[in-house]
Amino acid sequence: MKIISNSGIAVALFLIGTKINSASAQGDNGWHANTITVEKLSKERPGINYSEEKVPAYNLPEIFTSHNGVKVNSVDLWNKTRRPEIIELFRKNVYGRIPETPYQKKFKIVSIDKHAMGGTATQKEVDIIIEAMGKSLTFHLTLFTPNDVKNGVPVFLLIDPWRSDTDSPHWKQKDEYWPVKEAIKRGYGMAVFNSSDLDPDNFDNFKNGIHGLLDQKIRPDDAWGTLAAWAWGASRCMDYLVTDKDVASDKVAVVGHSRAGKTSLWAGAEDTRFAMVVSNESGAGGAALARRRLGETVERLNTIFPHWFCSNYKKYNNKEDSLPVDMHMLLGLIAPRALYIDCADEDLWGDPHGSYISLYNAVPVFNLLGVNSDIPESMPPLNKQVISGRVAFHIRDGAHNLLLRDWNWFMDFADKVWK
Ligand code: GTR
C-alpha cells in the first residue's frame, strides 16, 4: 500500500499484494534515474538503496488530519490548528527547538560601497552581534543591491556554511554559486551570511557558536541542532534586511544548497517573513521523503552529522515509518508563500524523485490557502522547469552543486511571482 495523491486531496491507493513500481509511476516522458548511475552508486556504497524498484511500500502521514482527528478543510483550521501542530512535530522530532534564553541584538554597518561592481551596485558589510549573559557572538552579512532602482528590491539571502568570512566578496561575485553580477543585472539584490560563523559545522557537543551562548545547561532531547541554529541566523539577517530601505522586505527569498537547502526549508517554516524559499538539492532531512529510504537515510544522517538535528531525531534511525511527519508536511508549512525545490540528475544520494513526490503531496496545502498550484504527478524531463502558482521545480543535468543555471531558473520564478 502506498499513498499517492491527485492534484487536490491525498488519496490512498490500495494494491493488495502488489507493490507500486515508482519508476513506472513517473510516466514515460518524465525524468528517470540513469541506470548506469544507479549501478555505479550502488557499487560505491553497498547497503544504500539507489534503486526505485527497491523503495519499500509506505504511507505518508496525513497532512490534513489534525491530532484530534478533525479533517482540516479551511484556511482557518490550517492556520490556527494544523500548521501549529505540524511545526511543533518538526521542532520536537526533527530540527529542535530554539531556547528561550533572552538576548540582545545589534547591527553594525562596517562599510558601504556605493560604487561596487563598476558602479552598478551598492555593497554593504554588516556585523550582526548577539549578546547574552555577558558573552557575545558576531557573524557577518554581505548585501549587494542594484543602483539603478529607486525603491527597495527583492533579495535572495543565501545561507552559506562553506565559505569563511575572510573570503573576498569580490571573488564571490564571480562565483556561479553566488552569481551577484547576473542577479544585479536582473534587478535582484543578493545577500549572504556564513552560517558556520554562527555555529561551526562539526560535532563539538554544542559548546561553540550560538549554542555556547544561548543553550540551557542541560540540553533537552528536542534542543535545536546546528541546522536550526543556521535557520535562526537567517532570521537575524532578516531582522537587518527589514530595516534596510534598499530591500523590499516583503520580497526576500531564503536560499540554501544541500545542508543549507535543508536549513532554508526550516528557516522558511519558522519565519513567515520569508516570502520565498529556495531549497537546492536538499535531499534527506530536506525535501526528500524519509520513508522512501532511497539514497541517504535518517540513520546515516544522524550518524555522520550527529549535530545537525535534535537528539529525538535519532529515535527514527531505521524507523522512518514511525516518524509522525514526513517532508511533504515541511513543504506544506511554506504555503501560501513561494517555494522552489530543485534537484540534480546525478545526485541520487539526495533522492530527486522523493523530493518531487514530497512537493506534489504538499501542493494541496497551497490550494487550500488559495494560491492555486497544479503540478503533474509525473516528474518533468531533465532541465525542464515546472512553475505552477507559487511552486516551482526543476531537475538539472549534472552533479550535486549550485550553478548559475539553477539561479537563472530561481530568478525566472521570482520574476513570475514578484514582477
Ligand atoms: C552530504 C550529506 C548530505 C548533504 C551534503 C551537503 O555529505 O550527506 O545530506 O547535505 O553533504 O551538504 O553537501
Side-chain angles (χ1 to χ4, degrees):
M1 182 178 73
K2 185 175 280 192
I3 291 229
I4 47 177
S5 73
N6 61 19
S7 56
I9 304 155
V11 176
L13 186 73
F14 294 91
L15 290 174
I16 294 156
T18 315
K19 212 167 109 185
I20 292 176
N21 179 337
S22 305
S24 62
Q26 288 177 60
D28 286 333
N29 302 323
W31 175 86
H32 292 256
N34 181 309
T35 45
I36 298 166
T37 313
V38 172
E39 272 167 35
K40 183 177 152 267
L41 294 177
S42 305
K43 270 192 202 132
E44 276 170 22
R45 277 198 172 129
I48 295 288
N49 176 39
Y50 288 103
S51 157
E52 197 64 52
E53 285 69 28
K54 291 191 192 139
V55 170
Y58 62 93
N59 276 317
L60 288 182
E62 283 279 344
I63 207 161
F64 282 143
T65 307
S66 76
H67 290 339
N68 58 10
V70 168
K71 287 278 171 209
V72 174
N73 52 11
S74 71
V75 176
D76 215 45
L77 271 176
W78 174 262
N79 285 336
K80 293 202 179 121
T81 306
R82 190 56 178 151
R83 190 180 192 280
E85 278 178 6
I86 293 176
I87 202 158
E88 261 309 297
L89 289 172
F90 275 101
R91 284 184 191 129
K92 186 162 177 229
N93 297 290
V94 184
Y95 300 101
R97 198 180 297 282
I98 299 163
E100 284 168 11
T101 314
Y103 66 89
Q104 281 82 46
K105 170 190 65 198
K106 285 183 200 150
F107 306 124
K108 188 171 154 203
I109 301 187
V110 184
S111 66
I112 301 183
D113 176 2
K114 292 196 171 165
H115 307 283
M117 293 171 42
T120 59
T122 294
Q123 177 183 354
K124 295 190 186 108
E125 299 295 334
V126 183
D127 278 348
I128 301 177
I129 303 150
I130 308 293
E131 293 171 342
M133 295 185 293
K135 293 191 281 181
S136 84
L137 180 144
T138 300
F139 67 107
H140 193 73
L141 174 73
T142 298
L143 170 67
F144 286 86
T145 46
N147 280 342
D148 57 357
V149 188
K150 277 216 178 81
N151 299 320
V153 293
V155 168
F156 289 94
L157 168 66
L158 180 71
I159 302 166
D160 179 13
W162 289 288
R163 306 287 159 76
S164 93
D165 232 338
T166 52
D167 283 337
S168 156
H170 298 287
W171 178 81
K172 281 178 181 164
Q173 287 171 30
K174 295 184 197 124
D175 193 6
E176 283 209 36
Y177 173 78
W178 197 56
V180 181
K181 263 191 191 141
E182 285 76 5
I184 293 290
K185 263 191 229 146
R186 291 183 63 160
Y188 289 99
M190 290 285 267
V192 66
F193 78 103
N194 186 278
S195 55
S196 292
D197 291 343
L198 188 68
D199 191 36
D201 192 3
N202 53 47
F203 182 66
D204 61 8
N205 227 347
F206 303 99
K207 294 286 173 265
N208 295 332
I210 197 68
H211 289 108
L213 203 69
L214 297 184
D215 279 5
Q216 297 160 20
K217 273 212 178 87
I218 297 171
R219 282 173 48 90
D221 288 343
D222 63 356
W224 58 345
T226 293
L227 302 189
W230 293 349
W232 181 89
S235 287
R236 303 294 69 78
C237 292
M238 187 65 181
D239 293 344
Y240 168 76
L241 294 174
V242 299
T243 68
D244 189 314
K245 64 169 182 37
D246 295 333
V247 175
S249 58
D250 60 341
K251 296 189 178 78
V252 176
V254 61
V255 187
H257 165 60
S258 203
R259 64 198 68 188
K262 309 179 205 301
T263 309
S264 65
L265 289 169
W266 186 235
E270 281 275 35
D271 191 338
T272 56
R273 294 174 300 171
F274 292 115
M276 181 182 291
V277 173
V278 180
S279 182
N280 188 77
E281 298 158 28
S282 58
L289 293 176
R291 279 166 171 74
R292 279 170 47 87
R293 287 153 269 203
L294 190 144
E296 190 171 29
T297 59
V298 173
E299 186 201 24
R300 171 87 196 196
L301 267 178
N302 281 325
T303 309
I304 309 293
F305 308 103
H307 55 295
W308 279 1
F309 299 89
C310 73
S311 295
N312 278 338
Y313 197 41
K314 298 185 175 72
K315 291 183 190 158
Y316 303 101
N317 289 350
N318 296 317
K319 294 197 183 85
E320 289 85 350
D321 291 314
S322 60
L323 257 170
V325 289
D326 214 318
M327 295 318 201
H328 64 306
M329 295 159 86
L330 175 66
L331 305 193
L333 295 176
I334 309 303
R337 294 161 294 142
L339 174 62
Y340 203 123
I341 303 293
D342 70 301
C343 303
D345 176 43
E346 291 166 24
D347 182 22
L348 301 186
W349 183 241
D351 190 9
H353 188 204
S355 307
Y356 188 79
I357 301 173
S358 184
L359 181 63
Y360 181 74
N361 281 282
V363 160
V365 184
F366 289 79
N367 287 324
L368 179 73
L369 301 185
V371 286
N372 294 342
S373 299
D374 183 17
I375 60 170
E377 187 164 7
S378 47
M379 281 183 78
L382 212 53
N383 300 322
K384 175 111 183 54
Q385 186 186 40
V386 172
I387 296 182
S388 179
R390 299 268 175 89
V391 303
F393 180 90
H394 74 253
I395 177 158
R396 171 181 52 68
D397 64 286
H400 183 68
N401 207 341
L402 175 54
L403 301 177
L404 178 57
R405 282 199 289 156
D406 299 311
W407 279 102
N408 278 329
W409 277 314
F410 304 156
M411 288 189 269
D412 292 345
F413 180 50
D415 285 351
K416 278 225 161 87
V417 174
W418 285 333
K419 285 189 177 167

